[in-house]
């Protein structure tokens, strides 16, 4: 019995038909895939680009707004948007202009310009933390903040939620199984035991949170306000406030990573829900699609960071920045694009357009689920929503994972791709951007409706 209630045999029959259709309509992608396998490991520049539902990678020619075009000339409505990397659409005009402006004025110098000052001021104004640093990615930002948390508190253990997503930071590559912290499955090349200084607990479990913090060795709780990568999981009422209160009670820091949840509003969940973190992390969309990440801290943390640096210097450990920063961090191109993004793209007007469309999409998903008599549910957060193969929205990462039916989601995704619609791979998440229209939303709903109808018409499809 699958969590989705759909027969695996019917899913395979449905998917086989769609794989054949894809190969027939995408000869140039097929040819490029064959060519690429001789020079790119796995035939793609980064391995996960081969993990989509398509039988070979779909090669893109160009993208603009809420649309992209493949090498075979097909147009797609994009509800994936680079999995938040282009949350405000592909190549917004202010970003394209900023790229052109900076192209002839230097890309990286290892020195700041006025753009850096303006970005710091805008970030402080928007997110409520006074001091900022700029990194190349959110993974880097999380890694550096964890170092600061350990230096400030003198503690080594990092606390995360089971099923969390914080990029590729080593310390977060853990899960909880049967009450124990274990390595995440598929963790290739891991040389040391991450569970020595990392601990995973269930999301929305206040008792587990307090028990973990009460051990007195936790430097920080690193968390998303809502889980987004294991399948969307929203916080129970009051849970995040308990996270803040309990971390303070037991002398641990609170790090909020809003790299995905920034879809909620212009100040993220941090401002919307008054989360009051010690550190705040954001990546992906902050520079309009140009690689960049940031982290902010409170005034108290800034003082504590200075004290940690002084302690390191007194113990002949140098200036205390080893392991933080890369040559391309805060490069001139990224800073110029971030300024344009904060001033002209990532605006309240953009959110005012995106949020109602995402609500329309979520309501459409609920209508389809009811129409087809499926025991599925929908979770929504700002401009982001997802349909999940469980009757009630999950409350923990384990519950979200238990609802997975990978073959079904891949088959449905491929059906949509073959009809010019892209949603986020690996789960059923969608994003709306300022270029998304109501017609785009309605097209997704109508196409998914058609696909579900065809799947469920296969004899024995329902279990």
């Amino acid at each position: 019995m699958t969590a989705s209630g759909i027969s695996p045999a019917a899913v395979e029959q449905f998917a086989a038909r769609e794989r054949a259709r894809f190969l027939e309509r995408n000869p140039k992608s097929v040819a490029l895939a064959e060519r690429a396998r001789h020079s790119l490991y796995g035939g793609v520049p980064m391995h996960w680009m081969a993990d989509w539902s398509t039988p070979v990678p779909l090669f893109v020619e160009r993208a603009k707004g809420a649309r992209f075009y493949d090498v075979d000339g097909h147009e797609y409505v994009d509800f994936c948007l680079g999995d938040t990397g282009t949350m405000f659409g592909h190549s917004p005009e202010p970003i394209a202009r900023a790229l052109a402006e900076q192209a002839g004025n230097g890309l990286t110098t290892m020195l700041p310009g006025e753009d850096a000052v303006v970005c710091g001021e805008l970030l402080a104004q928007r997110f409520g933390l006074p001091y900022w640093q700029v990194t190349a990615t959110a993974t880097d930002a999380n890694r550096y903040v964890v170092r600061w948390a350990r230096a400030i508190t003198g503690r080594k253990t990092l606390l995360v939620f089971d099923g969390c997503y914080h990029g590729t930071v080593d310390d977060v590559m853990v899960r909880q199984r049967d009450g124990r912290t274990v390595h995440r499955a598929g963790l290739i090349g891991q040389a040391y035991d991450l569970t020595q200084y990392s601990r995973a607990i269930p999301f929305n479990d206040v008792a587990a949170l307090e028990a973990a913090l009460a051990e007195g060795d936790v430097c920080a709780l690193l968390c998303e306000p809502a889980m987004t990568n294991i399948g969307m999981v929203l916080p129970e009422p009051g849970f995040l406030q308990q996270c803040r209160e309990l971390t303070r009670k037991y002398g641990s820091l609170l790090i909020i990573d809003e790299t995905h949840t920034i879809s909620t509003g212009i100040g993220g969940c941090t401002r919307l829900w008054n989360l009051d973190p010690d550190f705040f992390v954001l990546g992906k969309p902050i520079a309009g699609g140009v690689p960049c990440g940031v982290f902010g801290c409170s005034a108290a943390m800034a003082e504590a960071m200075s004290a940690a640096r002084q302690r390191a210097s007194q113990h002949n450990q140098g200036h205390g920045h080893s392991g933080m920063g890369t040559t391309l961090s805060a490069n001139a191109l990224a800073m110029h694009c971030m300024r344009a993004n904060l001033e002209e793209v990532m605006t309240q007007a953009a959110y005012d357009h995106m949020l109602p469309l995402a609500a329309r999409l979520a309501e459409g998903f609920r209508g389809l689920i009811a129409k087809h008599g499926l025991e599925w549910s929908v979770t929504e957060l700002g401009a982001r929503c997802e349909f999940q193969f469980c009757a009630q929205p999950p409350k923990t990462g384990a519950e979200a994972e238990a609802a997975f039916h990978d073959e079904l989601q891949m088959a449905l995704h491929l059906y949509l791709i073959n009809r010019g619609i892209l949603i986020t791979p690996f789960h059923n998440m969608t994003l709306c951007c300022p270029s998304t229209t109501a017609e785009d939303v309605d097209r997704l709903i109508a196409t998914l409706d058609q696909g579900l109808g065809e799947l469920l018409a296969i004899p024995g499809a329902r279990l």
Side-chain angles (χ1 to χ4, degrees):
M1 180 71 175
T2 64
S4 67
I6 308 295
S7 158
V11 169
E12 175 51 33
Q13 182 179 333
F14 180 78
R17 183 194 76 187
E18 293 303 317
R19 287 193 292 268
R21 178 175 179 141
F22 179 92
L23 293 171
E24 181 180 356
R25 74 191 294 267
N26 293 282
K28 290 185 178 179
S29 274
V30 171
L32 281 174
E34 173 60 23
R35 177 181 167 189
R37 73 181 184 87
H38 298 287
S39 59
L40 298 172
Y41 174 74
V44 285
M46 179 48 68
H47 65 87
W48 43 256
M49 291 182 178
D51 292 342
W52 290 71
S53 57
T54 55
V56 300
L58 179 65
F59 284 82
V60 176
E61 183 177 82
R62 58 191 172 91
K64 183 68 176 177
R67 280 164 168 71
F68 73 92
Y69 304 83
D70 69 20
V71 294
D72 286 284
H74 303 122
E75 178 184 280
Y76 298 81
V77 181
D78 190 0
F79 288 94
C80 173
L81 299 169
D83 193 17
T84 312
T86 52
M87 193 177 81
F88 300 97
H90 298 287
S91 297
E93 290 301 331
I95 303 302
R97 185 182 69 246
L99 285 165
E101 289 171 352
Q102 195 62 36
N105 292 323
L107 305 182
T108 185
T109 62
M110 293 183 69
L111 293 167
E114 184 181 7
D115 286 336
V117 179
V118 173
C119 286
E121 293 168 347
L122 291 171
L123 289 166
Q125 177 184 351
R126 179 167 300 197
F127 298 110
L129 293 110
Y131 298 107
W132 293 83
Q133 293 280 270
V134 180
T135 66
T137 66
T139 289
D140 283 344
N142 279 317
R143 186 180 293 118
Y144 307 156
V145 168
V146 169
R147 279 186 174 272
W148 280 121
R150 286 172 169 152
I152 289 167
T153 63
R155 300 174 176 182
K156 295 181 180 179
T157 300
L158 180 69
L159 185 63
V160 296
F161 291 120
D162 178 49
C164 67
Y165 178 67
H166 302 290
T168 56
V169 177
D170 284 359
D171 305 74
V172 307
M173 296 294 161
V174 292
R175 297 294 305 272
Q176 188 189 75
R177 292 289 185 266
D178 301 321
R180 296 174 53 250
T181 300
V182 299
H183 283 186
R184 187 178 295 183
L187 192 57
I188 293 174
Q190 184 59 46
Y192 59 91
D193 183 3
L194 295 173
T195 68
Q196 183 178 6
Y197 296 124
S198 294
R199 191 173 301 147
I201 60 170
F203 194 64
N204 280 321
D205 189 332
V206 176
L209 173 65
E210 181 155 21
L213 292 170
E215 294 193 31
D217 60 348
V218 173
C219 67
L221 168 64
L222 171 59
C223 67
E224 308 162 88
M227 302 192 79
T228 59
N229 210 55
I230 193 71
M232 287 175 63
V233 183
L234 301 185
E236 293 283 277
F239 177 68
L240 294 175
Q241 287 67 37
Q242 290 276 6
C243 289
R244 177 66 285 184
E245 292 172 11
L246 290 171
T247 48
R248 284 207 172 111
K249 177 179 177 181
Y250 291 104
S252 303
L253 305 183
L254 176 63
I255 306 166
I256 297 291
D257 180 355
E258 293 236 39
T259 297
H260 278 175
T261 58
I262 194 63
S263 63
T264 307
I266 194 166
C269 297
T270 294
R271 292 302 290 265
L272 186 65
W273 298 340
N274 193 29
L275 300 183
D276 191 24
D278 298 299
F279 288 94
F280 171 97
V281 171
L282 179 59
K284 289 188 182 181
I286 192 64
V290 174
C292 192
V294 298
F295 67 89
C297 68
S298 67
M301 289 302 101
E303 291 182 8
M305 290 157 71
S306 295
R309 290 177 60 191
Q310 186 175 10
R311 288 194 297 272
S313 177
Q314 290 171 346
H315 288 85
N316 297 317
Q317 296 177 11
H319 51 61
H321 282 90
S322 295
M324 299 186 200
T326 59
T327 305
L328 293 180
S329 297
N331 66 77
L333 181 65
M335 298 308 301
H336 197 55
C337 290
M338 192 201 305
R339 178 176 179 175
N341 192 56
L342 291 170
E343 290 180 334
E344 303 179 62
V345 179
M346 198 174 175
T347 63
Q348 186 60 54
Y351 283 98
D352 289 344
H353 178 89
M354 296 154 61
L355 300 186
L357 285 176
R360 180 188 184 109
L361 184 52
E363 193 58 31
F365 285 150
R366 293 188 181 100
L368 287 185
I369 290 168
K371 175 181 176 179
H372 292 284
L374 298 165
E375 293 188 5
W376 300 355
S377 57
V378 177
T379 303
E380 58 180 308
L381 183 69
R384 180 188 304 271
C385 67
E386 177 177 6
F387 61 94
Q388 293 165 286
F389 304 137
C390 48
Q392 298 296 326
K395 295 182 180 181
T396 67
E399 288 183 10
E401 187 177 35
F404 284 178
H405 183 171
D406 291 339
E407 294 80 10
L408 173 59
Q409 73 75 8
M410 292 183 77
L412 292 174
H413 289 213
L414 181 54
Y415 184 93
L416 293 172
I417 287 171
N418 280 337
R419 288 150 187 84
I421 299 171
L422 189 77
I423 67 175
T424 302
F426 320 131
H427 50 127
N428 302 309
M429 196 276 293
T430 63
L431 275 167
C432 293
C433 76
S435 298
T436 307
T437 66
E439 291 75 20
D440 294 335
V441 168
D442 293 345
R443 178 179 166 189
L444 170 53
I445 294 301
T447 307
L448 183 59
D449 184 16
Q450 177 182 326
L452 288 171
E454 293 177 21
L455 171 60
L456 295 170
I458 296 173
R462 293 184 186 271
L463 294 176

